[in-house]
Amino acid sequence: ATPTAIMVGTGLGAKRGVLFKNATALETSAKVNTVVMDKTGTLTRGEPEVTQVIAVGGDPHLDLVAAVERESEHPLAAAVVTHADALGVATRKAAEFRNVPGHGATAVVDGLDVAVGNRRLMESLGVDLSAAGPIRERVAAQGQTAVFAAVDGRIVAVIGLADAPRETSARAVAALHDQGVQVVMLTGDNQATAQRIAAQLGIDTVIADVLPGDKAAHVADLQRQGRVVAMVGDGVNDAPALAQADVGVAIGAGTDVAIETADLVLMRSDPLDVPTALTIGRGTLRKMR
Ligand code: ADP
Ligand code: MG
């Protein structure tokens, strides 16, 4: 590209808070034909709220659950703690806290083994989920994330958490489709919840139940299929995928690691700036010829 075209493109982007870190980022944006988007914090606001706590077979033991989640830094954990505090649930002390990335967390509270997390976590602990299965399906069908709580190996509650899509996510997806770009949702959340939200946003390809360390491998898979991939994400667990992608795009409100790793930063945290960035890239490439 001519230095002038690069300067014009970079300047156009900067005016809209679309920060290309270098000339390559701008040039490669023109060739992108697949945009992979993280769900939580990228397509959604990343501010989950507890909408329902469904007890399974008696007391949901929210005090024990909140004690575990108080030790966790996960956004879902913060939502559970906020909910418990609002209800005035008693504060208890957790010991032997263990965070299990992509799964949940465990601890000992009042001498009881408490686990909070997804189906994978419960299966790894040998917790029988048959009584909670239908509840989980009902919660997921509403587009909510279902989190299980178990005490001493027995399921005590299913917690439903909602994380609203960003206002412009659906429009951003439509604009990308108009540009002839394939849009893929990539998430650590479960398949049913992810499918539901994807359907609301007009996304037809969903890769769900992805472990934090596996996001980059999914991007590489798409690249092996010949796709030129932009990966959009906000989290620490998105950073390797941002690095793997042809263009790594960070949400401005995201974590420092994501912003540092990305080739392109969306300062307004607006998904609509993804198609804008591709348009600017394409314009720059045209001027080069
Ligand atoms: P995402 O890619 O959506 O940010 P993560 O990989 O961080 O998701 O987590 C994947 C799933 O693991 C969550 O959707 C949730 O079901 C479960 N999980 C992880 N940490 C916790 C926690 N502290 N409390 C409850 N559930 C958790
Ligand atoms: Mg995220």
Side-chain angles (χ1 to χ4, degrees):
T2 66
T4 313
I6 295 291
M7 256 175 57
V8 170
T10 309
L12 262 177
K15 244 183 252 166
R16 300 168 193 227
V18 174
L19 303 188
F20 293 95
K21 288 202 191 157
N22 51 56
T24 312
L26 190 57
E27 289 169 358
T28 313
S29 293
K31 300 172 194 145
V32 164
N33 56 22
T34 303
V35 170
V36 178
M37 298 181 99
D38 161 61
K39 176 173 77 68
T40 313
T42 299
L43 289 166
T44 70
R45 295 177 198 275
E47 292 160 6
E49 283 178 23
V50 171
T51 54
Q52 46 190 338
V53 177
I54 301 150
V56 180
D59 190 335
H61 292 291
L62 248 172
D63 53 341
L64 305 180
V65 173
V68 176
E69 293 291 53
R70 230 176 270 284
E71 304 297 319
S72 166
E73 282 168 12
H74 201 277
L76 292 177
V80 171
V81 171
T82 301
H83 181 74
D85 287 348
L87 291 177
V89 161
T91 311
R92 309 221 179 276
K93 243 183 108 68
E96 295 172 47
F97 173 78
R98 197 164 63 95
N99 177 52
V100 193
H103 293 73
T106 65
V108 175
V109 188
D110 288 350
L112 300 165
D113 285 319
V114 186
V116 195
N118 56 21
R119 175 161 58 182
R120 238 179 349 232
L121 178 73
M122 296 302 153
E123 280 168 357
S124 75
L125 297 171
V127 176
D128 176 17
L129 285 178
S130 50
I135 303 173
R136 188 194 93 99
E137 272 167 38
R138 190 150 41 80
V139 171
Q142 295 163 27
Q144 295 177 20
T145 299
V147 164
F148 299 103
V151 175
D152 275 348
R154 285 198 23 228
I155 191 87
V156 292
V158 178
I159 302 171
L161 297 109
D163 183 16
R166 291 185 188 273
E167 216 178 292
T168 55
S169 290
R171 265 189 286 149
V173 171
L176 288 166
H177 285 161
D178 284 346
Q179 292 177 332
V181 170
Q182 188 195 1
V183 181
V184 178
M185 177 191 278
L186 184 63
T187 180
D189 207 344
N190 77 87
Q191 186 73 33
T193 305
Q195 286 283 2
R196 181 90 187 97
I197 292 173
Q200 284 170 15
L201 298 179
I203 297 175
D204 45 40
T205 312
V206 176
I207 308 174
D209 289 308
V210 178
L211 287 171
D214 290 348
K215 284 193 173 182
H218 285 283
V219 170
D221 269 349
L222 290 163
Q223 289 170 321
R224 263 194 298 278
Q225 293 164 29
R227 325 251 13 154
V228 181
V229 179
M231 164 80 204
V232 192
D234 70 313
V236 175
N237 63 353
D238 295 320
L242 296 183
Q244 172 66 40
D246 297 283
V247 183
V249 184
I251 293 289
T255 56
D256 291 347
V257 192
I259 290 168
E260 277 156 26
T261 312
D263 304 298
L264 162 54
V265 184
L266 308 180
M267 295 310 292
R268 302 191 300 189
S269 303
D270 183 346
L272 262 183
D273 286 336
V274 178
T276 299
L278 301 193
T279 300
I280 293 171
R282 290 173 180 192
T284 306
L285 198 73
R286 262 199 303 280
K287 284 196 198 78
M288 282 159 49
R289 287 178 179 149

